[in-house]
């Protein structure tokens, strides 16, 4: 899925996928899930960031 196998092992996996429809279906499902997860946002929401910044300002005022 991440193209990290050596060429020979990759060829073996590809052959297994060609000859095993259930394995090919599972692999396709995993690739779809991987693409879906990669598309998700990886950072906090603006609301969360604003709340953290507002909270941190309370320490600046009390010092």
């Amino acid at each position: 899925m991440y193209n990290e196998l050596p060429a020979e092992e990759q060829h073996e996996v590809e052959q297994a996928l060609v000859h095993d429809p259930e394995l090919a279906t599972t692999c396709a499902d995993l690739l779809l899930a991987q693409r879906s997860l990669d598309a998700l946002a990886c950072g906090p929401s603006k609301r969360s960031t604003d709340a953290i910044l507002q909270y941190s300002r309370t320490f600046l005022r009390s010092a």
Side-chain angles (χ1 to χ4, degrees), residues 1-46:
M1 291 183 45
Y2 292 101
N3 296 319
E4 55 191 20
L5 291 175
E8 180 61 31
E9 289 180 39
Q10 183 174 345
H11 179 72
E12 290 174 16
V13 170
E14 289 169 355
Q15 288 302 307
L17 292 170
V18 168
H19 297 299
D20 186 339
E22 186 176 343
L23 181 62
T25 299
T26 300
C27 184
D29 290 343
L30 289 171
L31 288 170
L32 181 60
Q34 178 191 35
R35 283 190 211 121
S36 297
L37 291 172
D38 287 345
L40 294 176
C42 296
S45 68
K46 178 164 175 27

